[in-house]
Amino acid sequence: PREPWSIYVSQKDTERRWRRTWEAPHSGPMSKPALGCYRLPAAGEAVELSGLSGRPELNGAVARVIDGSIDERGRVAVRMDAVGGAQDGGVSAAAKDLRVTVRRLRRLPPSASAPAL
């Protein structure tokens, strides 16, 4: 059996190493200042789907946020236009609504053709 002091010292070292190397998902390493504030996507905002493992064919697809509210599972509703187009031999659907985890969305820069309001 290990001595209580030895266990305590080991746990403190582990915690110290963890704090030094842990990175927040949107801010980077804890040793550096935050990159900037994170804003949840708003209704009507254009986003790109990324990092989907269950439906990898949707990675890179552009969608619009239907409702900016997030459910209890951390998902937001998005609508994809022109799902399954002719490029993959599928039948094109008019629109497809999905619930996607917020961390799987990448905000798109404003279009040069759209006026900034």
Side-chain angles (χ1 to χ4, degrees):
R2 291 176 61 189
E3 293 292 322
W5 180 253
S6 173
I7 294 170
Y8 173 77
V9 170
S10 174
Q11 288 174 346
K12 291 302 270 184
D13 287 341
T14 302
E15 179 185 345
R16 195 173 298 121
R17 269 185 269 126
W18 179 81
R19 259 194 250 151
R20 205 173 33 235
T21 60
W22 188 78
E23 292 190 18
H26 301 292
S27 301
M30 296 296 281
S31 59
K32 296 181 182 175
L35 299 175
C37 62
Y38 178 76
R39 185 176 60 82
L40 293 172
E45 192 169 5
V47 292
E48 180 182 356
L49 304 178
S50 64
L52 300 174
S53 58
R55 307 257 324 258
E57 69 275 7
L58 297 180
N59 287 330
V62 176
R64 291 235 173 246
V65 177
I66 298 172
D67 183 16
S69 63
I70 297 175
D71 66 8
E72 64 278 354
R73 295 179 64 194
R75 297 174 185 259
V76 66
V78 297
R79 176 168 291 145
M80 293 177 30
D81 294 326
V83 175
Q87 71 273 8
D88 59 2
V91 177
S92 180
K96 173 96 173 152
D97 293 350
L98 301 168
R99 296 203 67 81
V100 181
T101 307
V102 174
R103 70 174 180 254
R104 302 290 186 210
L105 300 177
R106 187 167 54 215
R107 192 172 285 113
L108 293 177
S111 173
S113 63
L117 299 177

